[in-house]
Amino acid sequence: MGSSGNFFVAGNWKSNGTKESVSKLVKELNSSKFPSDVDVIVAPTFVHLPYVVDNIDSRYQVSAQNCWVGKAGAYTGEVAPEHLLDLGLQWVILGHSERRSLLKESNEFVGDKTANALAQGMKVIACIGETLEQRESGQMYNVLDGQLSGIADRIADWENVVVAYEPVWAIGTGKVATPDQAQEVHAYIRKWLADKVLPKVSGATRIIYGGSVNDKNSAELAGKEDVDGFLVGGASLQAASFATICNANAKVAA
Ligand code: PGA
């Protein structure tokens, strides 16, 4: 833990689930145990949000995986922050690499969406991360700078932002970053926030790691100084694995 906030674990269910599987997962999550000082978030599809909000234990917070860049209105197919707030949600994941690459979301667009969501009263899990090609060609820090600037240029207050560092080469590949690789980038992001935003923001902002986190590797990653939690994809669909990950920091502290 390098930040002053609670350890933070978010489960990104991505475009997965049926009414039946979601209800089973919620039931299992409701009987999972984790320390009360860990913030645990789950992010189902838009379609499953109302069910999860109504049925999941209040120890969990619920997040959307995306939202529109402006107010509600004539934007066919989009879901605006107002809709999420109306359901009782506080959190939204923005800038996930799958959206950046498949839907061509630019740094500026992700920054605009972040600013809009925050202005409307939401909290944002803002994702950044480099591809393998960018890492191997020495472009990693430039890429991360651009992604961070896209956000920092558009927001003044970081209180409701969690930064998720997700190296694209580690997402869904089973190829997790080593704890040292994660720590190196997390320390870089923390310094970037101190230098480019404010030391106070750097000390308070949770920087979480994502990319093939599972019940086997989470404790070692959580032991790294600047790893303040996780954004979990695949393993968040298994309640038992997710519970182990939610307990990773307690294991470190014990
Ligand atoms: P993964 O996904 O844990 O399945 O690698 C992480 C993410 O994309 O948030």
Side-chain angles (χ1 to χ4, degrees), residues 12 14 96 166 170-172 211-212 231-234:
N12 174 11
K14 306 193 178 183
H96 192 280
E166 298 203 298
I171 295 176
S212 296
L231 181 54
V232 187

Side-chain angles (χ1 to χ4, degrees), residues 149-166:
S149 296
I151 297 165
D153 290 351
R154 290 167 175 78
I155 70 169
D157 187 352
W158 287 71
E159 192 183 340
N160 292 320
V161 179
V162 168
V163 175
Y165 169 59
E166 298 203 298

Side-chain angles (χ1 to χ4, degrees), residues 171-185:
I171 295 176
T173 57
K175 195 175 169 218
V176 65
T178 65
D180 286 343
Q181 282 174 325
Q183 169 58 26
E184 184 189 358
V185 178

Side-chain angles (χ1 to χ4, degrees), residues 58-128:
S58 61
R59 295 174 300 140
Y60 294 89
Q61 300 175 68
V62 184
S63 175
Q65 300 172 16
N66 178 40
C67 68
W68 175 234
V69 67
K71 291 199 169 298
Y75 308 106
T76 303
E78 292 295 334
V79 174
E82 285 123 295
H83 300 122
L84 303 174
L85 291 163
D86 187 41
L87 272 190
L89 260 68
Q90 286 192 303
W91 287 98
V92 61
I93 298 170
L94 294 175
H96 192 280
S97 69
E98 285 153 12
R99 300 193 62 84
R100 287 181 187 267
S101 65
L102 299 170
L103 294 142
K104 309 279 178 281
E105 293 197 2
S106 66
N107 293 342
E108 293 72 23
F109 189 57
V110 172
D112 285 343
K113 290 216 279 194
T114 303
N116 176 59
L118 293 174
Q120 296 199 41
M122 297 209 65
K123 301 180 180 188
V124 175
I125 300 169
C127 305
I128 61 171

Side-chain angles (χ1 to χ4, degrees), residues 107 128-150 165 167 169 180-193 196:
N107 293 342
I128 61 171
E130 83 289 354
T131 63
L132 189 60
E133 192 190 353
Q134 290 162 339
R135 174 175 275 257
E136 288 179 342
S137 63
Q139 287 303 303
M140 176 171 82
Y141 290 117
N142 277 347
V143 169
L144 296 171
D145 288 355
Q147 293 170 336
L148 286 165
S149 296
Y165 169 59
W169 46 271
D180 286 343
Q181 282 174 325
Q183 169 58 26
E184 184 189 358
V185 178
H186 283 228
Y188 176 81
I189 296 167
R190 196 161 321 274
K191 184 167 179 333
W192 194 98
L193 290 173
K196 303 283 197 308

